[in-house]
Amino acid sequence: MRKKVLLMGKSGSGKTSMRSIIFANYIARDTRRLGATIDVEHTHVRFLGNLVLNLWDCGGQEAFMENYFANQRDNIFRNVEVLIYVFDVESRELEKDLHYYQSCLEAILQNSPDAKIFCLVHKMDLVQEDQRDGIFREREATLSRLSRPLECTCFRTSIWDETLYKAWSSIVYLLIPNVQQIEKNLANFANILDADEVILFERATFLVISHSQRKPHKDIHRFEKISNIIKQFKLSCSKLAASFESTEVRNSTFAAFIDMFTPNTYVMVIMSDPSIPSAATLINIRNARKHFEKLERIEGQAFMRTW
C-alpha cells in the first residue's frame, strides 16, 4: 500500500534536514552538509512492512514553486494523502510563504480534496524560549484561518529536540491502516503484564506507532524524547559495526525494557513494580511477539487486498 506524502515549503526552511533525520539516519549536526533540493526528490520509505510512504520532497526555490503550480499541477498534487508544509519561523518573507501555502491548498482542493494538511512551524530553537508559545499560537491561528475550508494541524518543530519526532509520529499515525486494532491488542498486552505503559515504535525510524497507558505520567513528551535518545544510540552502535537489540533500565521505583518485537517494531514496557523479575517480563514479551507478528501479517494481507 502506497501513501503519497508531499513535503513542501520555501527553500532553506529545513524540509530535507528533517526528512534525513527521520528516514535516513542523519544526526542534526550532519544536516549542515546537505544541499538544496533540486525540483522534486522521490523517496520510497517502507514502513511497517506493507505500508510504503511515497515521499515527494519538493524544492522550495521560487522558480520551482511557480513551475509546480503552472506546469506540474496535476502530477504533483494528484492522489496526495498528506501535505506537510514547512515554515521557517524566522523567515523574512512570511507573506510570500503564506501565498505559496495558499496556492498549494488550492491545488490540493482541486486534485486531492481528502488529503490531510499539516503545517510545521520549524526552527523554533532560534526563538527565545519565553517567546515560543506566543509566536507559535499566533502562527497557528493565522494558518488555521488561511486553510479554510480545509483543516490543518500545526506543530512547532526543531531538529535539535524531540519536537520533530512528536510531529512526524502524529503524521505517520494517521497513515497506518487499522491502527485501532494494534492499539486494542497493545492494551490487552499491557493488562496481562500489569504494566504502567507499553509503547510500540517503528523499527527503522523509531517513531511512535501506538501506546497503551494504564497509569498517568506528567511528562507528555516522554515518548518523543525516548525516540530521539534511542535513535541516537542506534546510530552510535552502527558506527562501531554493532546493532542495537534491547536494553533494560531499572532503579528502586521502576523498570523499563526496550526490546525487538516484530520484524518491523520495537516495544517498550514500563513497570512500576521493580520486584517483578526481569526474566518474567522478558518471557512475556517473547510470548507476545508471535501474536503481534501474526497480527501484522494478517493486516498486511488485508491491506494488499483492499488496495
Side-chain angles (χ1 to χ4, degrees), residues 136-148:
F136 176 72
R137 283 195 297 268
E138 179 184 320
R139 295 288 173 87
E140 184 178 36
T142 299
L143 292 168
S144 296
R145 175 174 52 82
L146 294 176
S147 298
R148 295 172 188 153

Side-chain angles (χ1 to χ4, degrees), residues 31-60:
T31 61
R32 294 168 180 161
R33 67 173 186 259
L34 292 170
T37 301
I38 304 301
D39 201 11
V40 181
E41 289 186 7
H42 300 271
T43 306
H44 300 282
V45 181
R46 185 166 293 278
F47 200 90
L48 281 181
N50 291 296
L51 175 61
V52 177
L53 303 185
N54 187 6
L55 190 60
W56 293 40
D57 184 356
C58 301

